[in-house]
Amino acid sequence: MSSIIFLLFLLGVVSANFKPEQEFEVKQTSLVNNGRGYTITEVGPLAVKDDPARYTIQNDLLSLGKKLLLLEKNQPLYEIKHKLGHLYQKWRITDARTGETLGTLKHRPSLIHDSYKLTSPKFGNYRISGNISGRTFSVKKGGVKIAEIHKKRLHLHDTYSVAIAAKQDPTVILLLAIGIDEIRQH
């Protein structure tokens, strides 16, 4: 068994070191401004210094169940909505323009660690696990770590750093970061 893992490591399928290419800061905005929203700023080496926040999250206050909208340069991209009536939280992700359901984020509670799962025919399947203190989350796709979400300490509002590996869609990982924060707040 260990020889198979070693072979996969040599082939690059299993990675010992996670090397992010993109980094973002996700910051919860004031509850006074239209409820709970977020600003997302690219902070890594690839960030454009003069570019304002490329992504934002808006809260839809008039929906039954929590509904958040991910905007890219003020254009609706994806919607993440809390599905009511489940023992454990489920959030449905849809295309904001077409209304097509793209996937479901589920919380999988455990005594040892926090666990989440995104199932999506469009994006693929993701597993997210966090440590007992709920500050660091590892995002894996196909058993390979592709992102890390870390909750920063000593901030007035919830603030996360999100590091994403090369060739990954940042919008999916950012939706996961927002979904985790929303689930942990309920």
Side-chain angles (χ1 to χ4, degrees):
M1 180 66 167
S2 62
S3 60
I4 293 172
I5 293 173
F6 181 73
L7 179 62
L8 290 173
F9 176 74
L10 289 177
L11 294 173
V13 175
V14 177
S15 175
N17 295 327
F18 168 67
K19 295 177 183 153
E21 181 178 89
Q22 291 181 290
E23 295 178 49
F24 294 88
E25 181 179 79
V26 178
K27 184 179 263 186
Q28 178 189 350
T29 59
S30 172
L31 293 174
V32 176
N33 299 334
N34 297 328
R36 190 184 194 121
Y38 298 84
T39 58
I40 302 168
T41 309
E42 194 164 2
V43 295
L46 299 178
V48 178
K49 301 298 180 207
D50 298 333
D51 193 17
R54 186 166 89 188
Y55 301 106
T56 53
I57 299 285
Q58 287 182 344
N59 186 359
D60 184 353
L61 295 173
L62 301 176
S63 73
L64 184 62
K66 186 81 168 195
K67 183 167 86 172
L68 300 166
L69 190 62
L70 174 66
L71 306 170
E72 182 175 19
K73 296 183 180 179
N74 292 322
Q75 296 299 313
L77 197 56
Y78 299 118
E79 175 182 290
I80 183 167
K81 185 173 180 6
H82 182 215
K83 293 173 69 176
L84 300 173
H86 296 276
L87 180 60
Y88 300 116
Q89 287 201 40
K90 288 185 180 182
W91 290 71
R92 186 179 67 231
I93 299 171
T94 57
D95 186 312
R97 293 162 282 184
T98 65
E100 175 189 3
T101 299
L102 302 175
T104 303
L105 176 64
K106 297 177 186 176
H107 183 212
R108 303 172 62 114
S110 167
L111 294 174
I112 301 169
H113 66 297
D114 257 349
S115 179
Y116 306 85
K117 182 178 180 181
L118 172 64
T119 306
S120 169
K122 179 175 180 171
F123 304 130
N125 297 323
Y126 294 80
R127 291 203 177 272
I128 306 98
S129 57
N131 61 14
I132 194 82
S133 66
R135 297 241 177 240
T136 301
F137 299 89
S138 176
V139 180
K140 293 183 179 182
K141 183 177 182 180
V144 177
K145 184 175 179 180
I146 59 158
E148 187 171 278
I149 302 167
H150 180 75
K151 185 173 183 178
K152 295 182 176 182
R153 296 180 190 263
L154 304 174
H155 284 266
L156 182 60
H157 300 289
D158 290 347
T159 304
Y160 292 85
S161 65
V162 180
I164 304 171
K167 299 179 183 174
Q168 300 300 319
D169 183 357
T171 58
V172 175
I173 308 302
L174 294 171
L175 281 173
L176 293 174
I178 299 301
I180 289 169
D181 187 55
E182 290 294 322
I183 289 169
R184 294 181 59 75
Q185 296 301 321
H186 282 84

